[in-house]
C-alpha cells in the first residue's frame, strides 16, 4: 500500500495549528448530472442509509438515481444564486469570519479552512493543502450542533479514511457536538428576538430539525435527545412557556418511521388547533440551504396556508452573524487549550545538521 507522503516538508518550519470546519455538502451545479453524482456519494454512505449493502445497491442504482436527480435538480434551481449554492457560499463566509475573529482574539497564525463531507471541496483535497502548509495539530469542527451518527460520525469516518493513507498524522481534536453550548444557544435566541422585534411574535414558534429514522434512536443515537435539549434551552432563554413552542423533524425519506412529530404534518394540523400564525426556526442548520430555504421557506409554508393558517414566517439560519461566529470561535479556542504555536528548538538544531540551507 502506498501512502500520502510529505516530501516537501521542511524541518526548519514551525508547526502550525489548523482549524477545519466541515458541513454536509452540495452539488456543484443545479442540474441532473451534478445531482446524480452528489446523491450517489451521499446515499452510498452506510452511516446515512443503514440498509444491507447489496440490497441498497440495487435500490439506489436501479431506482433512486434514475428518478431523484431530475426532481432534486428542479428544487436546487430554486435556491442557487449567482454565488452558487447557498450552503457553499455561507460556509465560505463563515470560514473567513471565523479566521478573522480568531485573529482578533490573538490567534492570527491558525490555518482555517473548510471541507464538505459530500461534493467539493473534499476532505482529501483540503487536508492535503493544510498538511502542506505545515499543520501538525488539527481541530475539526463539523457544523452540526446536534450529534448524529449520520452526520458527525460520518465526518469522522471520512477524516479517518484520509488519515489511514497518510504517512505522518497530525494531533487531532474532533468536536462532535455543541447542542447546549451557551454561546450557540444565545446566538439562536438573539436571532429569534431580532425577528420578533421586526415582525412581532406568532401564536407558535416551531423548532424544525432534520429527521433521521426512529430506528437510529432506538439503536442509541443521541440526536433526538440533543435536539429537544437545544429547543428547551432556547425556549428558556426566550422565556417561552411549553405551549408556546414545539419541536418537529423534517426531510424524511422512504417509508419507514422517522423521528416524530413530523414538521409537515404538524403545520397541516396547527390551524385546526386554533393556531393562525407560526414562525419556524431551524437550530440544527448552521447555514441556510435547500432544506431551510425551499423546504421550510416555501413547501411547508404552503402546507400551513392551505390548511387555513394566516401568517407563516421562516426565521433564517445563523449563517455568518457576528454572535454565531463568536460562538464558533470561542468553541474552537476552548479546544485549543494546551496547544502551543512555537517551533521545536531540538528539531531546528537537527535541521541545521541535515541541511543548513533550510534554516538560513
Amino acid at each position: 500500500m502506498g501512502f500520502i507522503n510529505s516530501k516537501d516538508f521542511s524541518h526548519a518550519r514551525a508547526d502550525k495549528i489548523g482549524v477545519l470546519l466541515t458541513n454536509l455538502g452540495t452539488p456543484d451545479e443545479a442540474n441532473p448530472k451534478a445531482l446524480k453524482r452528489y446523491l450517489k456519494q451521499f446515499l452510498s454512505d452506510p452511516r446515512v442509509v443503514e440498509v444491507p449493502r447489496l440490497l441498497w445497491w440495487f435500490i439506489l442504482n436501479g431506482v433512486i438515481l434514475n428518478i431523484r436527480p431530475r426532481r432534486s435538480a428542479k428544487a436546487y434551481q430554486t435556491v442557487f444564486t449567482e454565488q452558487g449554492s447557498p450552503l457553499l457560499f455561507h460556509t465560505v463566509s463563515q470560514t473567513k469570519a471565523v479566521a478573522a475573529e480568531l485573529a482578533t482574539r490573538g490567534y492570527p497564525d491558525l490555518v482555517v479552512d473548510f471541507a464538505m463531507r459530500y461534493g467539493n471541496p473534499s476532505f482529501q483535497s483540503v487536508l492535503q493543502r493544510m498538511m502542506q502548509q505545515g499543520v501538525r495539530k488539527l481541530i475539526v469542527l463539523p457544523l452540526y450542533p446536534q450529534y448524529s451518527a449520520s452526520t458527525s460520525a460520518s465526518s469522522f469516518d471520512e477524516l479517518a479514511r484520509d488519515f489511514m493513507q497518510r504517512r505522518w498524522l497530525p494531533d487531532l481534536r474532533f468536536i462532535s457536538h455543541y447542542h447546549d453550548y451557551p454561546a450557540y444557544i444565545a446566538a439562536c435566541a438573539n436571532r429569534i428576538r431580532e425577528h420578533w422585534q421586526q415582525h412581532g411574535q406568532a401564536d407558535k414558534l416551531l423548532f424544525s430539525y432534520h429527521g433521521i429514522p426512529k430506528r437510529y434512536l432506538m439503536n442509541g443515537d443521541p440526536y433526538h435527545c440533543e435536539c429537544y435539549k437545544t429547543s428547551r434551552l432556547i425556549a428558556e432563554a426566550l422565556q417561552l412557556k411549553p405551549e408556546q413552542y414545539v419541536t418537529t423533524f423534517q426531510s424524511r425519506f422512504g417509508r419507514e418511521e422517522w423521528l416524530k412529530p413530523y414538521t409537515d404534518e404538524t403545520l397541516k394540523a396547527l390551524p385546526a388547533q386554533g393556531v393562525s400564525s407560526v414562525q419556524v426556526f431551524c437550530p440544527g442548520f448552521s447555514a441556510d440551504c435547500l432544506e431551510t430555504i425551499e423546504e421550510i421557506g416555501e413547501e411547508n409554508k404552503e402546507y400551513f396556508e392551505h390548511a387555513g393558517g394566516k401568517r407563516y414566517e421562516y426565521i433564517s439560519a445563523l449563517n455568518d452573524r457576528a454572535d454565531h461566529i463568536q460562538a464558533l470561535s470561542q468553541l474552537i479556542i476552548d479546544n485549543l487549550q494546551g496547544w502551543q504555536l512555537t517551533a521545536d528548538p531540538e528539531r531546528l538544531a537537527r535541521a541545521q545538521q541535515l541541511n543548513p540551507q533550510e534554516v538560513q
Side-chain angles (χ1 to χ4, degrees), residues 254-285:
R255 297 183 178 181
E256 74 171 301
E257 182 180 359
W258 281 41
L259 297 181
K260 291 182 177 180
Y262 299 141
T263 297
D264 55 354
E265 292 186 358
T266 299
L267 288 166
K268 292 174 184 178
L270 284 177
Q273 300 170 13
V275 176
S276 63
S277 63
V278 67
Q279 292 164 334
V280 186
F281 181 65
C282 300
F285 294 86

Side-chain angles (χ1 to χ4, degrees), residues 231-304:
S231 294
R232 176 176 60 79
L233 292 174
I234 297 173
E236 289 176 355
L238 296 170
Q239 298 183 320
L240 290 177
K241 298 177 182 177
E243 63 271 17
Q244 291 180 288
Y245 71 95
V246 60
T247 295
T248 64
F249 298 90
Q250 65 185 80
S251 309
R252 66 187 184 277
F253 175 76
R255 297 183 178 181
E256 74 171 301
E257 182 180 359
W258 281 41
L259 297 181
K260 291 182 177 180
Y262 299 141
T263 297
D264 55 354
E265 292 186 358
T266 299
L267 288 166
K268 292 174 184 178
L270 284 177
Q273 300 170 13
V275 176
S276 63
S277 63
V278 67
Q279 292 164 334
V280 186
F281 181 65
C282 300
F285 294 86
S286 63
D288 277 314
C289 55
L290 179 73
E291 286 80 4
T292 63
I293 299 171
E294 194 274 338
E295 184 180 354
I296 295 298
E298 300 295 334
E299 181 182 338
N300 280 274
K301 178 181 180 181
E302 292 182 5
Y303 294 148
F304 182 69

Side-chain angles (χ1 to χ4, degrees), residues 84-95:
S85 161
L87 181 62
L88 180 59
F89 65 70
H90 282 310
T91 306
V92 170
S93 181
Q94 289 171 329
T95 303

Side-chain angles (χ1 to χ4, degrees), residues 343-358:
D344 183 345
E346 184 177 345
R347 198 174 76 199
L348 289 174
R350 200 172 289 125
Q352 178 70 53
Q353 296 175 355
L354 289 170
N355 186 355
Q357 292 183 346
E358 283 193 348

